[in-house]
């Protein structure tokens, strides 16, 4: 993992952010990747991100590790926050590998406000686990689970007994997130908060044959047809309407769009159950419509 500190070349303040926020790092060739801000929220002059060298990199981590150096100029977009820290008297933070990054500023805020919190941080070995030295100041509130020492995070011990008034925050690989979701199944609704690195696999029972539908752009006055196999985002962009997108997997939230009418088939990995039920927003890069017409605030 390499930590990047980003600052405005002219010394201007950067946009403010809150724990859980991420930015888009725009690299050579138009490659865009999302990275969690993991520095000090009170430092208005600098942002920090941590980037894991991925052996199967599609260009993002390879660019950061092999191309960037001190003084290099990069373009960024954001910040955005789809993983906010809710107010709670108690927190249980669970991190797997590079999933520690969005939790670092959350831990700092929880500690500063006097909340009762603890962290379970897992990884292959201590040598591969970033920011351990930084976390050392918190003492026994932090429990390290290195595979080569103690084995994996003891999720049954952490989650076996539902704890009312405790917010669980988890970020890491999909296997960990799935296990934590299962472990929190009996917890009070709204206890669990997750952030995914990649799109959640849809259950086989949820995979339906795609049907065409009409999308109405209220402000643009356009009516467009979205055929099977093409995304709402693609159809809107090809019609000449400016829309922003980044991951195109329903993970980053860049394309979040307000819904005015229609029964949305939510396929993203961001919105919570209540947020989906409200039908107020959708990620137009992956989600579709079950009704014949979808009206968007575009």
């Amino acid at each position: 993992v390499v930590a990047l500190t980003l600052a405005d070349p002219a010394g201007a303040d950067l946009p403010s952010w809150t724990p859980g926020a991420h930015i888009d790092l725009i690299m050579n060739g138009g490659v865009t990747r999302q990275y969690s801000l993991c520095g000090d929220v009170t430092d208005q002059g600098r942002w920090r991100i941590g980037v894991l060298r991925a052996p199967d990199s599609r260009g993002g981590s390879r660019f950061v590790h092999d191309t960037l150096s001190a003084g290099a100029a990069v373009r960024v977009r954001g910040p955005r926050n789809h993983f906010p820290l809710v107010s709670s008297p108690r927190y249980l933070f669970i991190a797997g590998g590079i999933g520690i990054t969005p939790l670092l500023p959350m831990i700092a805020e929880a500690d500063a406000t006097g909340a009762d919190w603890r962290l379970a941080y897992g990884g292959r070995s201590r040598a591969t686990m970033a920011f351990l030295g930084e976390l050392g100041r918190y003492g026994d509130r932090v429990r390290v689970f290195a595979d080569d020492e103690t084995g994996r995070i003891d999720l049954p011990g952490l989650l076996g007994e539902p704890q009312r008034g405790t917010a669980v925050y988890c970020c890491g690989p999909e296997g960990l997130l799935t296990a934590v979701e299962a472990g929190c199944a009996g917890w009070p609704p709204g206890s669990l908060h997750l952030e995914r690195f990649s799109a959640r696999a849809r259950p086989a029972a949820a995979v339906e044959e795609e049907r065409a539908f009409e999308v109405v752009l209220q402000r643009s006055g356009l009516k467009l047809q979205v055929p099977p196999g093409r995304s709402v985002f693609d159809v809107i962009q090809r019609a000449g309407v400016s829309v922003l997108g980044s991951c195109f997997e329903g993970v980053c939230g860049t394309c979040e769009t307000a819904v005015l009418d229609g029964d949305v088939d939510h396929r993203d990995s961001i919105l919570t159950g209540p947020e989906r039920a409200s039908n107020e927003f959708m990620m137009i890069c992956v989600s579709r419509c079950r009704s014949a017409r979808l009206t968007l605030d575009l």
Side-chain angles (χ1 to χ4, degrees), residues 92 94 154-163 168 179-181 183-184 187:
L92 171 58
I94 303 174
D154 178 19
L155 293 181
L158 293 172
L159 305 174
E161 186 69 31
Q163 301 169 36
V168 180
V180 169
E181 282 181 312
C184 287
W187 283 54

Side-chain angles (χ1 to χ4, degrees), residues 14 16 33 45 55 68 71 90 95 126 136 166 179 191 211 230 237 254 261 272 287:
L14 298 175
S16 60
R33 295 290 182 268
L68 287 187
R90 289 182 301 279
R126 288 178 181 267
T166 298
S191 297
R211 292 173 292 183
R230 286 184 62 191
Q237 188 180 57
T254 305
D261 189 43
T272 64
S287 296

Side-chain angles (χ1 to χ4, degrees), residues 53 70 76 88 114 123 150 158 167 176 198 219 233 293:
R53 178 186 283 278
V76 297
S88 178
T150 59
L158 293 172
L176 174 64
S198 57
R219 287 188 281 121
F233 182 97
R293 177 178 293 177

Side-chain angles (χ1 to χ4, degrees), residues 53-134:
R53 178 186 283 278
D56 56 348
S57 170
R58 294 176 297 166
S61 72
R62 185 169 58 246
F63 172 80
V64 170
H65 280 259
D66 297 342
T67 303
L68 287 187
S69 59
V74 293
R75 291 191 299 143
V76 297
R77 185 166 55 212
R80 293 185 304 278
N81 197 342
H82 290 279
F83 191 40
L85 184 69
V86 300
S87 177
S88 178
R90 289 182 301 279
Y91 297 96
L92 171 58
F93 298 107
I94 303 174
I98 196 62
I100 189 62
T101 50
L103 303 187
L104 288 175
M106 294 185 182
I107 290 168
E109 180 161 313
D111 196 65
T113 58
D116 180 18
W117 66 270
R118 52 198 170 122
L119 166 68
Y121 181 14
R124 292 190 302 274
S125 67
R126 288 178 181 267
T128 67
M129 299 168 70
F131 306 109
L132 278 180
E134 188 171 309

Side-chain angles (χ1 to χ4, degrees), residues 38-39 48 104 131-138:
C38 61
R48 185 181 69 166
L104 288 175
F131 306 109
L132 278 180
E134 188 171 309
L135 289 166
R137 60 178 170 162
Y138 297 119

Side-chain angles (χ1 to χ4, degrees), residues 43-293:
D43 187 345
Q44 296 183 307
R46 294 182 299 177
W47 286 342
R48 185 181 69 166
I49 59 174
V51 182
L52 172 71
R53 178 186 283 278
D56 56 348
S57 170
R58 294 176 297 166
S61 72
R62 185 169 58 246
F63 172 80
V64 170
H65 280 259
D66 297 342
T67 303
L68 287 187
S69 59
V74 293
R75 291 191 299 143
V76 297
R77 185 166 55 212
R80 293 185 304 278
N81 197 342
H82 290 279
F83 191 40
L85 184 69
V86 300
S87 177
S88 178
R90 289 182 301 279
Y91 297 96
L92 171 58
F93 298 107
I94 303 174
I98 196 62
I100 189 62
T101 50
L103 303 187
L104 288 175
M106 294 185 182
I107 290 168
E109 180 161 313
D111 196 65
T113 58
D116 180 18
W117 66 270
R118 52 198 170 122
L119 166 68
Y121 181 14
R124 292 190 302 274
S125 67
R126 288 178 181 267
T128 67
M129 299 168 70
F131 306 109
L132 278 180
E134 188 171 309
L135 289 166
R137 60 178 170 162
Y138 297 119
D140 59 7
R141 285 179 181 261
V142 176
R143 187 174 176 189
V144 176
F145 293 86
D147 289 352
D148 60 351
E149 295 178 12
T150 59
R152 296 186 177 182
I153 298 174
D154 178 19
L155 293 181
L158 293 172
L159 305 174
E161 186 69 31
Q163 301 169 36
R164 188 169 299 277
T166 298
V168 180
Y169 275 80
C170 181
C171 186
E174 184 61 32
L176 174 64
L177 300 182
T178 301
V180 169
E181 282 181 312
C184 287
W187 283 54
S191 297
L192 179 60
H193 307 264
L194 300 175
E195 183 169 62
R196 285 183 152 83
F197 296 141
S198 57
R200 184 208 316 251
R202 299 188 78 207
V207 178
E208 305 171 359
E209 181 179 353
E210 291 188 351
R211 292 173 292 183
F213 57 92
E214 181 181 65
V215 60
V216 178
L217 308 186
Q218 186 75 15
R219 287 188 281 121
S220 302
L222 294 177
K223 295 182 179 179
L224 307 169
Q225 287 295 313
V226 181
R230 286 184 62 191
S231 69
V232 177
F233 182 97
D234 181 55
V235 169
I236 292 173
Q237 188 180 57
R238 287 175 180 265
V241 177
S242 177
V243 283
L244 285 177
S246 182
C247 72
F248 303 105
E249 295 179 347
V251 174
C252 73
T254 305
C255 68
E256 183 178 64
T257 302
V259 178
L260 302 178
D261 189 43
D263 182 11
V264 180
D265 176 11
H266 292 285
R267 302 185 179 188
D268 65 275
S269 300
I270 300 174
L271 298 178
T272 64
E275 287 171 336
R276 293 183 177 199
S278 73
N279 251 8
E280 294 181 359
F281 297 94
M282 68 180 290
M283 307 304 157
I284 59 174
C285 68
V286 291
S287 296
R288 299 184 65 80
C289 186
R290 295 189 179 94
S291 51
R293 177 178 293 177

